[in-house]
Amino acid sequence: MESPAIDDSTPTFYVGQHESKRALPVSNQVVYQAQDCNYDMLTTPITTPNFHSRVLILHADHLEKSKLRAGSTVPPPIIPALSAVDTSLTPGDTITHLLGVISPWIDLCSPDPLIYDISRQVLELEVTYAAFCGLGNVIVQGPKLHHGKTHSDGLMQYALAIQEALGASNYLQIEIKLPMAEPFDLDKESAQDSLAYRCRDEYVGKTEGGTSRKTELYALSLPRHLPPRSIQSRWHSEPLRILCLDSRAFFKNENYHQPVLSKPQQALISRYMRTRNPPWILLCDIGPLLCLDNLDANFPKPDGLSAQSSLYEREPSPTPAQAAQSEYKNRKKRKDDPTPHLSYIRHLQKKQPPKTILERFGAGYQDYLQAPLQPLTDNLESITYEVFEKDPVKYDSYEKAIAQALSDWAEQGKPASGPGGRLVVAVVGAGRGPLVTRALQASQAVGVEIELWAVEKNPNAYVLLQRHNEEDWHNQVNLVKSDMRSWKGPLRRTVPQTSNVINNQSQLDSEDLYSTDETFHDPVGISSASTPLNTSQSPVYAPIDILISELLGSFGDNELSPECLDGILPLLNPTHGISIPTSYTAYLTPIAAPKLHADIATRSTNDPTAPNTPYVVMLHAVDYLSTTVPTTDSITSSSESDATPSPNVIAAWSFSHGPSPPCLASDLNAHNKRYARLTFRTRDRGVCHGLAGYFEAVLYPGVELSTNPLTMEAKSAGMMSWFPIFFPLKVLIFFMPLRKTSFKAGDLLYHEP
């Protein structure tokens, strides 16, 4: 039977095996054996016990010399370079399937200068040799937390040693192994008291000035009982490369006595595996690799799926007798499974729910920095329009809003501005025409006739609009190639001034640049090709009843709106004119985003404006620093750990649009300036890397769009057109627990001490 193909819509697990005391060197044969067992990688010590013994002898000799030379300074010992007996690691074909492990007996936080100096030398020797052999990743134990009052000084030592080691190779990555929480932290109600995470926060403070943090990742040890959700979320925002699961993290299945993970552990792994760069899973000390001769014929193959039916899969629609027999066989197979922990992880991989539409659409965009679009200064390419047009939620909402506006206008008996009682509808910034299509569909659905105008400045997109008008819209649309701010409105009639005729084609105001080819449809008939126009004719324009635009940016007002609308809102029907959208509000909340901060720091080396640039980002691996946890009368410590904190997302400012007089030249956009002072209360300690921005928009009363995480599911679930905006901070802010922190936002965004 052929192996089933792996579904790209589900996460892929890369699983490795680690033994703290591996008996044999990791040769090519051992790696091949591990692959046959369905592992993707193995760990290997970089040095042997012989090297450890040599270092201990050097240490003992130094202490002896110090005693003999009491009162004089003895220089610290210099560890000689590695010899063949000091390491079994060599370059080879399987080196890419290995993770190096730095000797766990070193202590880079030691208050003893001698031990620290020896530890630093060992780290440098092992990292340098690992880089020479071609290893891409090495694991080093995190800062030791048992030095009491010297803890902060020890972290400084540790940070300096790691920074030096990172310079050994441009391609080597160091994974710092840390526990998710210390055992005595698991019952605490907030992350502020987590010694493990406090250590991580202080470590970041020591390394913040470095430029190499992009190659510094974490190997996170998952405990048997997970800490509160706030700690889990904080680790989710970190650059995790490895999730470590040892035998103590597993439970025993009651029926089959096989290792399994709890529901919270499964949910955490599923969440972490949906990041842009999902972590690897490392099974630690769950037993040695077995010989190939003991492997069952039905054992899973290296692609992660068994060649025959998985041990955890059932036959489709079995009879009761078949089910009983199958159950007996499955129990026997599970009992004889030589790698039960690995089999369970592979089983968990198959159980992963498929990615949502939004996750599939955003593949590759998670936590990826993008500069906001500049459609006013740049003519967008067709592929850019196409990406946004794939969002059915936004355009369905627009069509619903247009239909409701047309229906309400007709029911209320408002006078229309178009000929024959038709409503004048204008789509400004029409792009490739998706809103034009939706407006026509809405008109047909509610039975209200419209005179439709489409305004677009992009000459390339305008060509496509002409084609759509001829082939799809049956010449029902008046096309205008113009900047919306200079368009004077729907042309109604002209008042002749002289009799000088210049040609036999329809001529329109040069500032408006109306279409003059045969695809131009004039519902009034004043621009017929058989009726020459006079160069001195004075045009008369009609008002717009319903103005439709999609000019919002990720923060609402950070792209074309409201400035571009200022030039066209005076064209609205002064009594009953409607703008879609009607209003929108911008929101902010502080976040921890170490990955984004590291990416911006990297960009800053070539672009000094990078820290001052707002970025459009599909935020994923971030942590909300100001949150509230749902509370009930019956909440318990365990249920509180499972409760999902809600971010405090605060409104900054709003804009509303409707009929308005022309802006004065002396105004200088002052009417669009906004300022806000926002205060956030934090439950836990943390490092703020910037603020996340969102918006909510009312297209028409009863129809709304939202990127606000608190309201998006209710107002526009699954919408893909806008990612949040990220405002980075040049100077990081360390939040203290149960404190209030304020920001001032306007022309600039800054922290208020």
Side-chain angles (χ1 to χ4, degrees), residues 188-426:
K188 299 191 176 179
E189 296 183 356
S190 69
Q192 62 180 337
D193 296 318
S194 170
L195 184 58
Y197 209 87
R198 187 160 67 247
C199 167
R200 184 261 163 219
D201 277 351
E202 293 182 22
Y203 172 71
V204 169
K206 309 301 182 187
T207 60
E208 195 50 53
T211 59
S212 299
R213 285 205 55 198
K214 61 185 178 63
T215 54
E216 171 193 321
L217 307 169
Y218 295 104
L220 187 64
S221 295
L222 268 60
R224 184 181 181 90
H225 299 285
L226 295 181
R229 183 65 69 90
S230 56
I231 297 181
Q232 298 177 39
S233 297
R234 190 64 53 82
W235 280 116
H236 179 256
S237 69
E238 296 294 340
L240 297 180
R241 171 52 62 87
I242 300 172
L243 291 179
C244 301
L245 290 167
D246 64 23
S247 58
R248 295 170 296 179
F250 288 84
F251 297 82
K252 285 290 184 181
N253 181 283
E254 295 181 359
N255 295 327
Y256 307 111
H257 303 288
Q258 296 294 306
V260 295
L261 296 174
S262 65
K263 294 292 185 182
Q265 289 173 315
Q266 295 178 41
L268 180 141
I269 290 176
S270 295
R271 181 186 182 193
Y272 284 12
M273 296 305 290
R274 289 176 179 269
T275 57
R276 183 184 177 194
N277 297 307
W280 303 330
I281 296 177
L282 192 62
L283 298 178
C284 305
D285 297 321
I286 46 87
L289 289 173
L290 300 180
C291 296
L292 291 172
D293 295 338
N294 294 333
L295 295 179
D296 188 274
N298 290 327
F299 198 77
K301 295 299 186 256
D303 61 0
L305 300 170
S306 64
Q308 300 184 23
S309 297
S310 168
L311 302 181
Y312 291 87
E313 291 179 350
R314 297 179 180 177
E315 295 292 333
S317 304
T319 65
Q322 290 174 332
Q325 183 67 16
S326 175
E327 185 68 11
Y328 171 77
K329 291 181 179 179
N330 284 340
R331 287 193 182 191
K332 186 176 185 301
K333 289 176 181 177
R334 292 186 182 114
K335 184 177 180 181
D336 297 336
D337 189 350
T339 56
H341 298 82
L342 175 61
S343 297
Y344 176 77
I345 293 298
R346 293 304 186 193
H347 166 65
L348 189 63
Q349 175 182 351
K350 296 178 186 179
K351 287 178 56 181
Q352 294 303 298
K355 296 179 181 178
T356 64
I357 295 177
L358 184 58
E359 287 174 330
R360 292 197 295 270
F361 173 81
Y365 291 100
Q366 289 181 345
D367 302 312
Y368 178 74
L369 299 171
Q370 303 177 79
L373 294 175
Q374 301 295 333
L376 184 61
T377 57
D378 302 329
N379 288 324
L380 303 182
E381 296 181 353
S382 179
I383 186 63
T384 305
Y385 290 114
E386 183 178 350
V387 169
F388 292 105
E389 290 171 13
K390 291 180 179 179
D391 186 352
V393 176
K394 178 178 79 170
Y395 291 108
D396 287 348
S397 298
Y398 263 97
E399 183 175 343
K400 181 179 178 181
I402 297 169
Q404 190 62 49
L406 293 174
S407 179
D408 289 349
W409 193 294
E411 291 179 2
Q412 296 168 12
K414 299 177 183 177
S417 302
R422 288 181 293 176
L423 271 71
V424 178
V425 178

Side-chain angles (χ1 to χ4, degrees), residues 596-614:
L596 301 182
H597 178 73
D599 289 346
I600 293 173
T602 302
R603 294 189 180 197
S604 299
T605 58
N606 297 320
D607 180 11
T609 65
N612 300 321
T613 302

Side-chain angles (χ1 to χ4, degrees), residues 40-41 50 269 287 338 340 446 721 739 748:
D40 299 298
M41 68 197 82
N50 181 79
I269 290 176
V446 299
S721 289
R739 299 283 182 87
L748 298 174

Side-chain angles (χ1 to χ4, degrees), residues 336-664:
D336 297 336
D337 189 350
T339 56
H341 298 82
L342 175 61
S343 297
Y344 176 77
I345 293 298
R346 293 304 186 193
H347 166 65
L348 189 63
Q349 175 182 351
K350 296 178 186 179
K351 287 178 56 181
Q352 294 303 298
K355 296 179 181 178
T356 64
I357 295 177
L358 184 58
E359 287 174 330
R360 292 197 295 270
F361 173 81
Y365 291 100
Q366 289 181 345
D367 302 312
Y368 178 74
L369 299 171
Q370 303 177 79
L373 294 175
Q374 301 295 333
L376 184 61
T377 57
D378 302 329
N379 288 324
L380 303 182
E381 296 181 353
S382 179
I383 186 63
T384 305
Y385 290 114
E386 183 178 350
V387 169
F388 292 105
E389 290 171 13
K390 291 180 179 179
D391 186 352
V393 176
K394 178 178 79 170
Y395 291 108
D396 287 348
S397 298
Y398 263 97
E399 183 175 343
K400 181 179 178 181
I402 297 169
Q404 190 62 49
L406 293 174
S407 179
D408 289 349
W409 193 294
E411 291 179 2
Q412 296 168 12
K414 299 177 183 177
S417 302
R422 288 181 293 176
L423 271 71
V424 178
V425 178
V427 177
V428 292
R432 303 199 317 174
L435 286 181
V436 176
T437 299
R438 295 294 184 143
L440 292 173
Q441 292 176 180
S443 171
Q444 184 177 7
V446 299
V448 176
E449 292 188 2
I450 62 174
E451 178 191 64
L452 186 56
W453 295 75
V455 182
E456 176 55 48
K457 77 169 186 64
N458 186 339
N460 304 310
Y462 183 74
V463 174
L464 188 59
L465 289 176
Q466 291 175 309
R467 189 174 301 279
H468 283 321
N469 199 24
E470 180 181 359
E471 298 178 356
D472 304 321
W473 301 329
H474 309 294
N475 290 328
Q476 299 179 76
V477 183
N478 302 290
L479 302 180
V480 183
K481 183 160 68 70
S482 171
D483 187 317
M484 68 183 73
R485 297 171 298 176
S486 60
W487 184 45
K488 293 180 171 58
L491 181 62
R492 279 291 166 263
R493 60 187 178 85
T494 57
V495 179
Q497 301 296 322
T498 66
S499 58
N500 297 325
V501 178
I502 62 171
N503 58 34
N504 63 350
Q505 285 195 333
S506 62
Q507 298 289 326
L508 300 176
D509 187 274
S510 60
E511 197 174 34
D512 293 329
L513 299 176
Y514 284 95
S515 170
T516 58
D517 64 18
E518 61 183 3
T519 64
F520 176 74
H521 175 71
D522 181 0
V524 183
I526 64 170
S527 302
S528 170
S530 61
T531 306
L533 297 181
N534 193 293
T535 56
S536 299
Q537 289 179 337
S538 176
V540 176
Y541 303 95
I544 301 169
D545 295 324
I546 300 178
L547 180 69
I548 305 169
S549 63
E550 49 176 337
L551 309 179
L552 299 179
S554 294
F555 197 47
D557 62 325
N558 64 297
E559 288 190 10
L560 297 180
S561 188
E563 287 79 6
C564 284
L565 286 178
D566 285 343
I568 198 169
L569 285 174
L571 305 183
L572 270 179
N573 185 315
T575 306
H576 307 294
I578 297 172
S579 172
I580 298 177
T582 300
S583 63
Y584 43 92
T585 303
Y587 293 82
L588 289 167
T589 188
I591 61 172
K595 295 180 182 178
L596 301 182
H597 178 73
D599 289 346
I600 293 173
T602 302
R603 294 189 180 197
S604 299
T605 58
N606 297 320
D607 180 11
T609 65
N612 300 321
T613 302
Y615 296 94
V616 175
V617 188
M618 185 180 182
L619 298 176
H620 188 76
V622 300
D623 184 40
Y624 297 107
L625 296 174
S626 178
T627 61
T628 56
V629 178
T631 57
T632 62
D633 295 337
S634 59
I635 196 168
T636 63
S637 60
S638 60
S639 61
E640 185 175 359
S641 298
D642 295 335
T644 302
S646 299
N648 293 323
V649 185
I650 301 179
W653 47 67
S654 299
F655 289 89
S656 298
H657 297 302
S660 62
C663 299
L664 299 177

